[in-house]
Amino acid sequence: MKRGLLAGLVIACGLSAQVAEVATIEVTTIEVATIPAEAGFVVLAKTGRLAAAVCRDKTLHVWSLPDGKAVRSIDVGDRAMDVVTISDDGRWIAAGDHRGGYTVWDTASGAVQMELKMAFYPFAIAFSTDGKRIAIAPAGEPVQIYDLASRKKLFELQRPVGGTAAVAFSRDGARIATADADTEVRVYDARTGELISSNADFLMVPLAAAFTADGKHVLTAGGDKIIALVDAATGNVKRRSAKLVDPPIYMETSPDGALLAAGLMHADNMLQPAPLMISEVASGRTVQEWKPATMMVGGTWTTDGHLLVATTTKGAIHLWRVR
Amino acid sequence: MNARLSRRDALLRGAAIGVLKVAPLLGLGDAVSALIAQDKDPARKPTPWNEIGPFYKKLAPNQAKLRGPNDPGLPVTIAGRVFNTRGDVLRGAKIEIWQADHLGLYDLDGYRYRAALVSDSEGKYSFDSVMPGHYPARVCQHVHYVVTAPGHRALITQLYFATDPVFEGDPDGNYNRDPLVLSRELVRPVTLSGDPKAVQANVSFELVLERA
Ligand SMILES: [Fe+2]
């Protein structure tokens, strides 16, 4: 792909019948017409300044936002990336491929900071909030915690049957939560890797987990289609939501800690769009629900309190400011 | 490489040519088991790992009849034995299986096409179901397995069908059209039996666990 051919534009969009629950949506469309193929998923930095995607032109593209200008493109060769993630400040991008190769790049220079080979491709990858550590959940294997500066493995977490579907650090970096394939939700001490608590109330696999802003609770959900508020210290469930229409696969709390965004997966057809729910952390009450026209492929709360959601169509990445 | 294993593989590969076969007098699975039983070396290669997927559900009922009398789809009976890599028969192993219905839909709210079986005194297990459908975002028809036995590492895997149209009759060449199928061994031959008006598919799937 040629650099400099991407044009960014911002379209202010009014209400449509499909998005009736949302007061106003500004749509930023990053035109990627010169890329011969689509992006499977899109990562967004919490600064709201960077977006990145591995497109089917075998290139990791990084764009600045909101102008949609290409700032970097990194050739990934024949590596089929299963998971890509970006640190909150946008400094690092990590990706894991289907053959178990993992790379962390410095987005400013494009340099490789860390390269790892593991037995399997990733189920999940997450940076700590300060961007100093990375948690990698290879498929079916224990979560591995690495220090980015020294490139050293710090420790690994327990080995749940089936591996870990989602992993999250608390904002203060003190705790790690895992949503595990054996249906349990576990909380660990992020300094030692010791298990603090676990919860086995779900019948199905939890697929997403997010700490509350104070790190005292984990909001988690999956195939049970219920969002549970779990006490991180004891593992006890403090609150359960009403049953949702589909399983959440993305969960994140807003910068002020007041709201939870939960992106659902259309279980009967994973390629179809499913709703994004925004609820109050304190009460669990749903305050907003929005169903994009095509499947959500990325999203984040930005540090200034907006919720950005990415969708794709052929040749374009669309960014939606949902809140 | 263990000679017995390559022999078994050769037999199964042979059986997969032409893919769909009418069952001989002796079922294919039985024939394979009989050949293996004659062998002096009891060691077995562990069943390859395959990912668990998002729809595992615990506490499934112990039921071998997953197919209701009026369920649409091709009836299929899946059977096999559970061993460890030393060749010991594993009795009382827990075999949790789950699959989509004939349209490719998983039951998240109940336990349709889900079961937790227990291997018998000969390590055998079997269940009656329907051929799982294809579903979007996943290329191949498959059945999920989690197998656990005391003193052994849990086995998480998936069973695939050599008759899957995705393989176009050539599972050797095309098994990796689904990026999640990491091993050819997990694609099993399918034999047909029964009256032409009531065809029944049969699949043999041996499970070999590693010792803890
Ligand atoms: Fe599946």
Side-chain angles (χ1 to χ4, degrees), chain B residues 106 135 138 142 144 158:
Chain B
Y106 282 95
Y135 62 84
R138 191 65 213 277
H142 59 278
H144 293 270
Q158 298 182 39

Side-chain angles (χ1 to χ4, degrees), chain A residues 270, chain B residues 52-55 98-100 106 135 138 140 142-144 158:
Chain A
M270 293 179 213
Chain B
I52 194 165
F55 297 135
W98 65 104
Q99 65 166 79
Y106 282 95
Y135 62 84
R138 191 65 213 277
C140 283
H142 59 278
V143 177
H144 293 270
Q158 298 182 39

